[in-house]
Amino acid sequence: QVQFVESGGGLVQPGGALRLSCVASDSIFRIYVVGWYRQAPGKQRELVAHITIGGSTNYPDSVKGRFTGSRDNAKNTVYLQMSSLKPEDTAVYYCNTDPPQNYWGKGTLVTVSS
């Protein structure tokens, strides 16, 4: 299994921006489709960005136009640029393969609040 370590979360005001990073443990990550997921308190984990091996992306309507996923295969790293953040974006954010492996990292907490 590929292990991922997420970072970059924090407290941000509504309308603000954050960039999350996720480093994979193995270069084999390059052959996987990956995704950014989030889990808000009391809710199920949901996919918020789908990133193909070549870097094409897809997003649910809830974040489309505000979130941008990307990957740097040379650095074994995946990114999530988030802008125009809303309080409902508050969640723990994870990266994983898509579909996801059973193993999940610790994630990084994003809190959107004034």
Side-chain angles (χ1 to χ4, degrees), residues 6-58:
E6 303 89 351
S7 63
L11 174 64
V12 62
Q13 292 187 342
L18 276 177
R19 188 193 195 203
L20 307 184
S21 299
C22 173
V23 178
S25 62
D26 195 308
S27 61
I28 198 171
F29 133 94
R30 301 171 188 180
I31 68 170
Y32 287 102
V33 175
V34 295
W36 279 97
Y37 303 80
R38 69 184 180 188
Q39 187 166 24
K43 295 188 177 181
Q44 289 192 335
R45 190 175 285 149
E46 62 173 340
L47 179 70
V48 295
H50 167 95
I51 308 167
T52 68
I53 296 169
S56 298
T57 53
N58 201 4

Side-chain angles (χ1 to χ4, degrees), residues 21-23 26 69 80 96 101 103 112:
S21 299
C22 173
V23 178
D26 195 308
L80 185 68
N96 206 328
Q101 309 168 111
Y103 173 84
V112 184

Side-chain angles (χ1 to χ4, degrees), residues 19 34 36 49 51 55 57 59 68-72 77-81:
R19 188 193 195 203
V34 295
W36 279 97
I51 308 167
T57 53
Y59 311 93
T68 303
S70 61
R71 66 193 295 168
D72 185 336
T77 302
V78 186
Y79 302 98
L80 185 68
Q81 179 68 49

Side-chain angles (χ1 to χ4, degrees), residues 75-91:
K75 295 182 178 180
N76 291 355
T77 302
V78 186
Y79 302 98
L80 185 68
Q81 179 68 49
M82 306 184 295
S83 61
S84 301
L85 284 162
K86 305 175 180 179
E88 52 263 42
D89 295 319
T90 295

